[in-house]
Amino acid sequence: MKQAMMRKVLYSLLPIVCAGIYFFGLRVLALLIVVTLFACLTEWVFVRKTTHKITEAVLITAILFTLTLPPQTPYWIAIIGIIFGVLFGKMVFGGFGKNPFNPALVGRAFIYVNFPKFMTVEWTKPVDGLLGGFTTYLGQPIDAITQSTPMLIYRATGETAPIKDMLFGNIAGSIGETSALLIILMGIYLIYTKTAAKETIFSVLAGFLIMDSIFYFSGFQQVPNPIYGLLAGGILFGAVFMATDPISSPKTFQGRIVYGLLIGCITVIIRGFALFAGGIMFAILIGNTFAPILDEAVNAIKNRKKLPVKEGK
């Protein structure tokens, strides 16, 4: 089933996939192919006896899910994650257009909780050279916390990675979350083509910066400075590609503003005070649970304002 909006999202993800291969190796492509195959197979099992076909949305789910994984993620864990995400994040609710949660994040959260070692400890150094990972299967594994992801390094040592490396992607991390500059450029494309709701993106970032600034300038050492926090840990990727999912996010303008602010604030709290170094994944899933309520509240307020005022009141 062809979907114009999904295709634009697909176009925006292709450069990030290529960057993931460049930084971490051809294993990224192999992992993406395996994940996509099982994502399509899972959806096909549910639609094969109907007139419906596999949607383009499942391809987006597979790519997004893959981009949130560490490059070394075992194939079998990735398969379990995408099957769980498509099955329990989408198909059990009736398929495309009916899922209350982002399926890619449902799958990612499931394997994150059940297989934490593979999702939080085993990272990969970016590949050097002009052609980068296009000439190798996988970059060198990292065996020291001081060389891992920017947020893990900060939490363990208080040290910060170079801003330049985080902008261009020369850091360890999940496949699609390392290059802040590339994510920003793709976000501009999605906003320009009216594919992603700009109010959601900006409110997520605003909520994050406000809450992060409050804790940072109040002296909480476990919270990094706002700019560093914005470029590290996948907040940009989550704001641009995950929070803007048109199905699991609010439909009203005001609802999206509150939704985004909520996600941004919760991300900072989880990062600084919970066990998880990232936070954006769980923050978006929490935001998904509030999306219908926010729309109901906004519509109720609008309808109340439209009610005629009785004479004598």
Side-chain angles (χ1 to χ4, degrees):
M1 184 181 296
K2 297 180 179 179
Q3 299 155 321
M5 182 178 292
M6 292 295 104
R7 193 166 298 170
K8 292 177 182 177
V9 176
L10 178 62
Y11 295 155
S12 70
L13 288 171
L14 290 179
I16 298 180
V17 170
C18 292
I21 298 172
Y22 175 81
F23 289 126
F24 300 113
L26 291 170
R27 190 181 191 277
V28 170
L29 179 60
L31 188 64
L32 176 60
I33 292 173
V34 170
V35 167
T36 302
L37 175 63
F38 278 88
C40 293
L41 183 61
T42 304
E43 182 166 308
W44 175 80
V45 168
F46 283 85
V47 302
R48 71 188 191 281
K49 293 184 178 180
T50 68
T51 57
H52 297 88
K53 298 179 180 179
I54 294 175
T55 62
E56 289 185 7
V58 76
L59 300 178
I60 303 300
T61 296
I63 296 173
L64 288 174
F65 174 80
T66 303
L67 292 176
T68 65
L69 300 177
Q72 295 186 58
T73 304
Y75 290 106
W76 64 274
I77 289 181
I79 291 171
I80 290 174
I82 193 61
I83 291 176
F84 187 90
V86 174
L87 177 59
F88 292 101
K90 179 180 177 180
M91 302 314 297
V92 297
F93 295 103
F96 177 74
K98 300 177 182 179
N99 50 288
F101 300 99
N102 186 306
L105 287 180
V106 170
R108 216 275 187 176
F110 179 75
I111 61 175
Y112 188 93
V113 172
N114 287 280
F115 310 103
K117 175 187 174 182
F118 300 100
M119 306 300 294
T120 61
V121 177
E122 298 187 355
W123 300 100
T124 306
K125 289 183 181 179
V127 181
D128 296 324
L130 181 62
L131 296 178
F134 286 99
T135 60
T136 186
Y137 177 67
L138 181 65
Q140 182 181 351
I142 291 173
D143 56 6
I145 190 66
T146 54
Q147 297 175 314
S148 60
T149 68
M151 283 306 302
L152 288 173
I153 293 172
Y154 183 84
R155 292 188 67 163
T157 66
E159 298 179 2
T160 56
I163 297 295
K164 176 176 67 69
D165 289 346
M166 292 193 294
L167 277 173
F168 291 100
N170 191 31
I171 54 174
S174 296
I175 293 169
E177 299 176 351
T178 59
S179 177
L181 181 60
L182 185 57
I183 294 171
I184 291 171
L185 291 175
M186 293 304 100
I188 293 173
Y189 165 77
L190 291 176
I191 292 173
Y192 176 76
T193 56
K194 298 182 180 179
T195 305
K198 59 181 180 296
E199 59 270 17
T200 300
I201 296 174
F202 292 139
S203 58
V204 170
L205 301 181
F208 176 85
L209 290 172
I210 292 170
M211 184 63 73
D212 192 285
S213 298
I214 291 173
F215 283 119
Y216 177 74
F217 291 109
S218 297
F220 289 87
Q221 296 182 355
Q222 62 267 49
V223 177
N225 74 73
I227 300 302
Y228 183 84
L230 188 65
L231 298 177
I235 179 69
L236 287 173
F237 187 85
V240 171
F241 293 107
M242 297 295 196
T244 54
D245 174 29
I247 307 303
S248 57
S249 62
K251 308 301 182 290
T252 59
F253 178 85
Q254 296 86 347
R256 288 170 179 162
I257 297 294
V258 178
Y259 169 79
L261 292 172
L262 181 68
I263 290 173
C265 293
I266 292 175
T267 299
V268 176
I269 295 172
I270 294 176
R271 274 189 180 186
F273 304 99
L275 296 175
F276 313 110
I280 182 66
M281 169 181 61
F282 293 108
I284 293 175
L285 289 174
I286 292 172
N288 290 162
T289 65
F290 284 93
I293 301 174
L294 292 174
D295 279 338
E296 287 291 332
V298 169
N299 290 328
I301 293 172
K302 288 182 177 179
N303 292 333
R304 185 178 302 173
K305 289 182 179 179
K306 292 180 181 179
L307 290 175
V309 180
K310 291 184 179 181
E311 218 175 304
K313 294 287 185 180

